[in-house]
């Protein structure tokens, strides 16, 4: 049994998606397995070579087109309890014609951005037109989390906080990054994640590479170590949290840069409230680091939305004039990176409230000094 929200939640989402499709002038949404389908019917189905899709017409009943051999697993999603129509097909039949069967005229289709080319190309051939991306339509829906989703993000935040609280059990000089990462991955599962989606252990110079994962480098006692970890917690909402660790008193220049980073992260979190733009939150963090002479060391955007995907809208980046609204969830994760030397990052997931934001991560933000033994 797939873990998911009450069925009524999905019924509301499917109805709302149809309404938004109509407003966008789209005949139907064609949603293949991926985060959009998980959002709409709570299905964790994967994409294979056989075509499965939830067809949501702007007007009329949604249909789940699926290979006959996958009917049973889709029946376990909310699609079953919602009583959605199933259109099963068997090998040798053309599922694309089946998907278009109930749509009139020259349909304008909107497809999920995770649809594979192996499905998109035959679908385009069957309609004779280029579809648009469903992301543009589902974005407003998925970006603003409802109460059930916010609760799920809180559970994910608490789970990753429990893992960070235990980092001292595994992280110490003399061990390799890979060995520490393996222990952390086990702890992600032990503390309630269904998968260890990513485990970044960046020690010493590796910490200066924001997307370094882990390596066979042996951790040294004077290293600064970036630990950025997360994964899905049932029913699929992700955690993502970074803290930075050390084992000895850091040199004055490191301590000063870290103090500026800590302030930048706090100032950015304090800037989050309804009515401000996404880019203003990025600017809040960036201005503080520029003032400390560290502007050149902050080499990425301040944050990304999170939910069923680890990276989704809204992106907290210069140029994004999107106005924040209650229910939006995203990371605030400025970092400083000194090429070939060291790096640090502080990351929390925040949810916009009526008058500010709530952080789902509660661990202290300081450079955490761990015992060496
Ligand atoms: Zn990232
Ligand atoms: Zn992260
Ligand atoms: Zn992140």
């Amino acid at each position: 049994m797939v873990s998911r929200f009450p069925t009524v939640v999905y019924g509301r989402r499917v109805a709302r998606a149809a309404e938004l499709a109509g407003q966008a002038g789209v005949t139907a949404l064609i949603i293949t397995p991926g985060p959009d389908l998980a959002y709409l019917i709570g299905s964790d189905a994967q994409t294979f070579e056989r075509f499965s899709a939830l067809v949501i017409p702007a007007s009329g009943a949604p249909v789940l087109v699926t290979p006959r051999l996958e009917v049973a697993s889709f029946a376990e999603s909310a699609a079953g309890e919602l009583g959605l129509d199933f259109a099963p097909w068997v090998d040798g039949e053309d599922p694309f014609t089946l998907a278009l069967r109930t749509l009139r005229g020259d349909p304008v289709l909107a497809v999920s951005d995770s649809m594979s080319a192996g499905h998109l190309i035959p679908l385009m051939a069957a309609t004779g037109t280029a579809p648009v991306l469903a992301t543009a339509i589902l974005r407003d829906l998925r970006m603003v989390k409802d109460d059930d989703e916010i609760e799920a993000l809180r559970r994910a935040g608490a789970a990753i906080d429990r893992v960070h609280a235990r980092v001292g059990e595994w992280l110490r000089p003399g061990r390799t990054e890979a060995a520490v990462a393996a222990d952390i991955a086990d702890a992600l599962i032990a503390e309630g994640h269904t998968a260890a989606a990513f485990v970044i252990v960046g020690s010493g110079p590796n910490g200066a590479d924001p997307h370094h994962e882990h390596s066979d480098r042996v951790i040294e006692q004077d290293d600064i170590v970036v630990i950025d970890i997360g994964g899905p917690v049932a029913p699929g909402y992700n955690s993502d949290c970074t803290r930075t660790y050390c084992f000895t008193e850091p040199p004055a220049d490191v301590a000063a840069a870290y103090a500026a980073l800590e302030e930048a992260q706090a100032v950015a979190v304090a800037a989050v409230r309804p009515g401000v733009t996404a880019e203003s939150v990025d600017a809040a963090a960036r201005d503080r680091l520029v003032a400390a002479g560290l502007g050149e060391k902050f080499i990425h955007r301040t944050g990304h939305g999170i939910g069923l995907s680890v990276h989704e809208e809204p992106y907290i980046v210069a140029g994004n004039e999107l106005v924040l609204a209650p229910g939006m969830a995203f990371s605030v994760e400025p970092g400083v990176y000194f090429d070939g030397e060291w790096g640090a990052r502080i990351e929390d997931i925040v949810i916009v409230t009526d008058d500010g934001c709530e952080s789902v991560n509660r661990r202290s933000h300081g450079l955490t000094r761990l015992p060496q033994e």
Side-chain angles (χ1 to χ4, degrees):
M1 183 69 194
V2 189
S3 149
R4 54 179 158 83
F5 297 133
T7 302
V8 52
V9 170
Y10 298 100
R12 219 158 43 214
R13 291 177 183 177
V14 171
R16 188 79 185 112
E19 202 178 335
L20 291 171
Q23 286 167 17
V26 160
T27 314
L29 298 162
I30 313 283
I31 307 298
T32 42
D36 288 336
L37 195 66
Y39 179 80
L40 290 165
I41 58 169
S43 161
D44 60 359
Q46 307 287 306
T47 287
F48 296 109
E49 78 286 5
R50 291 185 177 98
F51 180 75
S52 302
L54 175 62
V55 179
I56 305 178
S59 60
V63 182
L64 194 63
V65 176
T66 174
R68 183 166 298 276
L69 75 169
E70 285 177 34
V71 166
S73 70
F74 276 108
E76 280 193 12
S77 75
E81 272 180 51
L82 285 169
L84 298 190
D85 289 337
F86 280 58
W89 59 279
V90 294
D91 291 341
E93 287 182 325
D94 174 8
F96 304 103
T97 311
L98 189 60
L100 300 172
R101 193 183 53 185
T102 57
L103 309 177
R104 276 169 235 287
D106 290 326
V108 179
L109 303 181
V111 303
S112 13
D113 62 2
S114 59
M115 183 182 282
S116 79
H119 296 154
L120 177 62
I121 305 287
L123 190 65
M124 285 171 66
T127 57
T129 56
V132 297
L133 282 175
T135 314
I137 294 160
L138 296 177
R139 167 182 186 258
D140 291 346
L141 208 50
R142 282 190 51 194
M143 203 163 45
V144 175
K145 270 64 183 177
D146 62 29
D147 292 346
D148 294 295
E149 294 179 288
I150 289 171
E151 201 43 52
L153 284 166
R154 285 187 187 126
R155 283 199 304 275
I160 205 67
D161 279 2
R162 291 195 296 274
V163 179
H164 270 295
R166 297 181 54 195
V167 161
E169 294 177 31
W170 316 295
L171 179 60
R172 55 184 170 270
R175 301 196 76 202
T176 65
E177 292 176 350
V180 174
D183 287 336
I184 292 176
D186 289 345
L188 277 158
I189 306 297
E191 297 295 348
H193 295 79
T194 53
F198 55 94
V199 178
I200 295 176
V201 179
S203 65
N206 291 338
D209 171 6
H211 271 181
H212 170 81
E213 283 196 40
H214 46 76
S215 72
D216 289 329
R217 182 179 185 277
V218 176
I219 296 162
E220 296 173 15
Q221 70 167 17
D222 291 331
D223 284 348
I224 305 295
V225 186
V226 177
I227 307 267
D228 183 354
I229 50 182
V233 170
Y237 286 76
N238 284 281
S239 67
D240 182 6
C241 182
T242 311
R243 290 293 183 266
T244 303
Y245 298 87
C246 64
F247 312 99
T248 55
E249 182 78 30
D253 60 327
V254 170
Y258 193 90
L261 175 65
E262 197 176 339
E263 268 185 52
Q265 203 270 347
V267 163
V269 169
V272 176
R273 60 181 175 277
V276 307
T277 60
E279 67 175 355
S280 72
V281 176
D282 179 80
R286 205 163 298 278
D287 289 352
R288 180 65 194 84
L289 288 170
V290 167
L294 296 168
E296 302 282 289
K297 305 299 180 193
F298 179 24
I299 55 176
H300 54 71
R301 65 188 175 213
T302 292
H304 54 82
I306 191 164
L308 289 164
S309 308
V310 178
H311 289 183
E312 58 182 45
E313 301 215 46
Y315 291 100
I316 308 303
V317 61
N320 187 1
E321 293 174 5
L322 175 87
V323 174
L324 300 182
M328 289 182 182
F330 50 84
S331 68
V332 176
E333 53 174 309
V336 288
Y337 307 96
F338 295 80
D339 240 351
E341 298 176 50
W342 67 284
R345 182 163 62 255
I346 303 169
E347 174 179 28
D348 288 333
I349 301 303
V350 301
I351 301 166
V352 183
T353 60
D354 288 337
D355 56 1
C357 71
E358 165 191 338
S359 176
V360 304
N361 301 111
R362 308 288 167 83
R363 303 278 307 156
S364 83
H365 296 107
L367 189 52
T368 303
R369 190 165 159 186
L370 298 173
Q372 298 187 44
E373 298 297 317

